[in-house]
């Protein structure tokens, strides 16, 4: 189901979605820069008053220039620092390039594949969000415009780390929240590999989080859930759902190189550990999933 109705009133964009009924996040808009439909979804890009440019897919905020660093640093560095030596890495989704930009800071990586279903998201990000899409410039990056499910079928026993940087489970991201997809992720991992997925919010998507975590629990012996503060996502927090084939997840296994330290605005060794400390209700929800 897509949400492509006009959500702009008096210069304010409101993110209205049945996944979070009865609430909306509003952002003041100065200008619409792009409004177009791809074969998969409606793509809008706005100049906002105080959050820089903002990418919206099917009416849902995917990133703003002001706070994208929080989500992208955590989506990349939590799984990549948990792994002792990530050489072959796959990002599924993430067509804006921000997760790639952060992943590319890891010199251990030899091949950095990205499988994004919608090439238009990549093209628009390269044109309008160069400081995010610069992730595509790294020579180790190999772009595959494909369905993630089909791509995984062709890559058994291939990856040390897979990052699922998906949109919400409505529209093209839907299949990425289902058990068959997680079975394929597991098959695509090398021994000792791990997967990290966009895990929604424990405050407002309890059913989605619970279902996702129960899938990960049924397939991975080691699993964990981290949370990130991102003002422009609903409720101001978003989670990372992780599962591994034996590798510990809740602390970094390598030290952060000095050359990387100076680029980081959110991730640190302390933040890595702290992100897994969850409020009581969330801990209970995940234990009961
Ligand atoms: N942003 C994206 C993406 C996939 C492609 C392009 C941009 C995200 N995944 C994160 C979205 C989080 C949505 C929270 N409601």
């Amino acid at each position: 189901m897509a949400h492509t109705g006009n959500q702009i009133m008096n210069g304010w964009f409101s993110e209205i979605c049945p996944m979070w009924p009865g609430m909306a996040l509003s952002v003041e808009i100065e200008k619409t820069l792009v409004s177009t439909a791809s074969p998969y979804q409606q793509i809008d890009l706005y100049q906002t008053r105080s959050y820089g440019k903002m990418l919206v897919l099917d009416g849902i905020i995917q990133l703003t220039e002001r706070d994208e660093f929080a989500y992208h640093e955590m989506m990349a560095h939590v799984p990549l620092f948990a792994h002792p030596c990530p050489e072959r890495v796959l990002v599924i989704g993430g067509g804006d390039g921000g997760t790639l930009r952060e992943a590319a800071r890891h010199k251990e990586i030899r091949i950095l594949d990205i499988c994004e279903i919608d090439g238009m998201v990549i093209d628009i990000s390269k044109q309008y969000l160069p400081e995010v899409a610069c992730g595509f410039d790294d020579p180790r990056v190999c772009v595959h415009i494909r369905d993630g499910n089909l791509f995984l079928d062709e890559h058994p026993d291939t990856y040390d780390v897979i990052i699922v940087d998906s949109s919400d489970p409505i529209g093209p991201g839907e299949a990425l929240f289902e058990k068959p997809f997680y079975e394929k992720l597991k098959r695509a991992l090398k021994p000792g590999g791990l997967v990290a997925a966009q895990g929604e919010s424990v405050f407002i998507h309890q059913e989605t989080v619970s279902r996702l975590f129960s899938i990960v629990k049924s397939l991975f012996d080691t699993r964990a859930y981290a949370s990130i503060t991102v003002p422009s996502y609903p409720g101001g927090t978003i989670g990372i759902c992780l599962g591994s084939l034996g590798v510990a997840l809740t602390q970094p296994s390598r030290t952060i190189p000095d050359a990387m330290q100076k680029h980081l605005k959110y991730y640190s060794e302390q933040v890595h550990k702290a992100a897994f400390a969850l409020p009581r209700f969330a801990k209970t929800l995940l234990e009961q999933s």
Side-chain angles (χ1 to χ4, degrees), residues 2 13 23 27 36 43 45 47 65 69 81 83 98 100 122 127 220 223 238 244 265:
F13 166 90
M23 74 182 294
V27 181
T36 187
I43 306 174
L45 195 110
Q47 178 62 54
E65 285 183 311
F69 70 92
F81 275 115
H83 197 285
L100 289 180
I122 297 178
Q127 193 177 346
F220 295 89
R223 57 269 171 147
I238 195 159
S244 90
K265 290 189 277 187

Side-chain angles (χ1 to χ4, degrees), residues 15 20 55 57 60-62 71 93-96 116 121 165-168 198 200 233-234 238:
E15 185 195 48
W20 43 96
L55 176 67
L57 299 179
I60 306 301
I61 299 170
Q62 303 298 317
Y71 176 77
D96 52 78
E116 160 67 60
V121 172
D165 184 0
S166 71
S167 47
D168 296 321
Q198 191 269 89
E200 302 293 352
Y233 290 151
I238 195 159

Side-chain angles (χ1 to χ4, degrees), residues 77 81 105-108 254-264 267:
H77 301 312
F81 275 115
R105 301 195 197 286
H106 292 254
K107 300 303 171 213
E108 292 79 3
R254 293 174 285 126
T255 53
I256 306 173
D258 286 342
M260 198 194 294
Q261 296 272 10
K262 62 174 183 284
H263 295 286
L264 299 175
Y267 181 85

Side-chain angles (χ1 to χ4, degrees), residues 156-179:
D157 195 23
T158 304
Y159 294 103
D160 298 305
V161 174
I162 304 177
I163 301 169
V164 184
D165 184 0
S166 71
S167 47
D168 296 321
I170 37 175
E174 195 171 344
L176 309 184
F177 288 78
E178 302 295 332
K179 188 160 182 182

Side-chain angles (χ1 to χ4, degrees), residues 190-211:
K190 284 190 203 161
L194 64 96
V195 52
Q198 191 269 89
E200 302 293 352
S201 158
V202 278
F203 267 100
I204 57 177
H205 306 118
Q206 298 197 347
E207 223 170 278
T208 306
V209 173
S210 180
R211 221 169 53 80

Side-chain angles (χ1 to χ4, degrees), residues 111-128:
I111 299 174
L112 183 47
D113 285 319
I114 175 165
C115 178
E116 160 67 60
I117 200 168
D118 194 340
M120 276 178 77
V121 172
I122 297 178
D123 295 340
I124 289 167
S125 300
K126 283 183 175 171
Q127 193 177 346
Y128 291 92

